[in-house]
Amino acid sequence: MLHFTPPEAFLPFAEAAQQEPSLRHQTFRWLRDFIYQLSGIYIPEHRYYFLKARLLRRLEALGVCPFEEYCDLIGSSSPLAVKERQELLNSVILTDTQFFRSPEQFVALARYVLPELAGKRRHLRLWSAGCAIGEEAYSLAMVVASQRETVLSAHSVEVLATDLSSEAIAKAQAGRYLHLHGLPEEYRGFVSTCHEGYEVVPAVRSLVRFSVQNLLDSVSVRSMAPVDVLFCRNVLLYFAPEVRRRVAAMLVEVLRPGGYLFLGAAETLSELVEGQLQLVRFSGTLAYRKLQDDYVPAR
């Protein structure tokens, strides 16, 4: 899941306002548009000090001043610019999630979705898009691991996990967490204690393949196909409407007919991909099911 970081996590608003160098509004708008072109994320005017607070850290790390010099750097074609553009994205987003967030969705996955799909094909692919530091992806893998001796005993299952932040992906690959917020008791056997808190056991970690991915990259997104189960929760909210429509279309494209898409509670795709998805109601939650050629809508 993608969240903007409160600036006070690094530098309070008031301090950012007074801190040198100043960020001219013309430069702010250039940076905002640059970030939008890179990621589809739109930073509105009222987050002016948020952006300044976050990027002051990058100016200090690089030893550049003023902000215009930083703009020249990230706008160039040098190897440093390529690296710094990723650092820019790492700086303006914060990935924040927990294990089994919105637990009703994972119950639906375990009780209904996986058994249904397992009856149709032997290889299943699950994708956590916007996986943050990995709790969502590992939650999917734990559900899969818990069914290895039952409905998935004769199946190969792979969990793909992607995020825009390279820092988040590095943390996810480590599989170590200070806390186990949200982890149900029945899944506690899939983690062990370590000197840094807790660690996801190797059998679960081996199910997940992490990578950095920009959802605006159509080649990268389409390379994920075919996907049987897609979790993309509270990510589309941060895109501008035209970008949200384009990304939603690609996500539906890679979803296999009959596959399931889970979104955040406040998200909907009905108007974006009309006629391609069927809303499915489970106990306590909803999901979208991609229509099949032989699907006949209820009358």
Side-chain angles (χ1 to χ4, degrees):
M1 184 182 75
L2 189 63
H3 278 302
F4 288 113
T5 312
E8 55 269 24
F10 295 95
L11 190 66
F13 275 156
E15 186 177 343
Q18 300 171 8
Q19 188 86 3
E20 291 294 335
S22 62
L23 175 60
R24 295 190 303 165
H25 281 279
Q26 179 181 355
T27 306
F28 163 80
R29 288 191 287 271
W30 187 94
L31 284 164
R32 177 192 64 190
D33 294 345
F34 189 80
I35 292 168
Y36 174 74
Q37 292 298 323
L38 281 179
S39 65
I41 298 169
Y42 184 77
I43 300 176
E45 293 280 347
H46 71 269
R47 288 190 176 270
Y48 167 90
Y49 289 118
F50 154 77
L51 184 61
K52 180 179 180 181
R54 299 310 303 272
L55 293 189
L56 280 171
R57 299 168 58 233
R58 296 309 307 155
L59 267 65
E60 181 179 356
L62 293 167
V64 300
C65 185
F67 278 97
E68 287 74 18
E69 184 178 345
Y70 182 75
C71 293
D72 290 340
L73 169 62
I74 60 177
S76 74
S77 58
S78 68
L80 178 58
V82 175
K83 180 178 183 296
E84 186 55 33
R85 285 194 284 271
Q86 180 62 59
E87 294 294 342
L88 168 65
L89 296 179
N90 289 345
S91 295
V92 300
I93 60 175
L94 176 69
T95 46
D96 175 34
T97 186
Q98 65 182 46
F99 289 100
F100 289 84
R101 186 166 187 155
S102 298
E104 300 85 0
Q105 293 184 328
F106 291 95
V107 171
L109 176 69
R111 292 183 181 176
Y112 306 108
V113 173
L114 286 180
E116 175 190 326
L117 296 175
K120 299 177 179 178
R121 54 189 69 102
R122 293 300 184 187
H123 177 76
L124 299 177
R125 176 177 285 190
L126 288 66
W127 178 18
S128 171
C131 68
I133 59 173
E135 291 102 321
E136 178 179 276
Y138 286 129
S139 297
L140 294 175
M142 289 177 188
V143 172
V144 170
S146 70
Q147 298 194 0
R148 277 300 197 188
E149 297 182 1
T150 54
V151 297
L152 298 176
S153 60
H155 296 70
S156 63
V157 184
E158 127 181 75
V159 179
L160 309 174
T162 63
D163 198 272
L164 180 62
S165 170
S166 61
E167 290 181 355
I169 289 297
K171 292 178 181 178
Q173 289 172 324
R176 299 186 182 94
Y177 301 94
L178 292 176
H179 308 286
L180 298 177
H181 297 312
L183 185 64
E185 190 63 36
E186 62 263 34
Y187 293 102
R188 292 293 175 116
F190 293 120
V191 296
S192 60
T193 57
C194 65
H195 67 282
E196 297 180 4
Y198 303 91
E199 183 176 44
V200 179
V201 300
V204 171
R205 287 167 57 191
S206 66
L207 292 172
V208 188
R209 178 157 57 90
F210 289 100
S211 61
V212 177
Q213 182 189 63
N214 189 332
L215 289 176
L216 296 191
D217 184 344
S218 60
V219 174
S220 176
V221 171
R222 290 185 172 110
S223 72
M224 310 299 285
V227 175
D228 298 285
V229 178
L230 172 53
F231 272 58
C232 184
R233 304 186 299 171
N234 303 318
V235 174
L236 296 175
L237 288 173
Y238 294 91
F239 292 140
E242 63 273 17
V243 176
R244 187 181 307 131
R245 186 174 297 105
R246 177 154 43 101
V247 172
M250 286 192 294
L251 294 179
V252 174
E253 180 182 329
V254 303
L255 195 64
R256 195 195 299 262
Y260 285 85
L261 169 63
F262 289 86
L263 298 177
E267 296 175 299
T268 179
L269 287 184
S270 298
E271 297 179 359
L272 301 180
V273 288
E274 186 175 359
Q276 299 182 59
L277 300 172
Q278 173 192 15
L279 188 62
V280 180
R281 300 181 184 276
F282 298 105
S283 178
T285 192
L286 302 170
Y288 289 95
R289 183 174 183 270
K290 186 171 181 178
L291 299 181
Q292 297 174 287
D293 293 338
D294 59 354
Y295 172 74
V296 178
R299 297 185 182 278

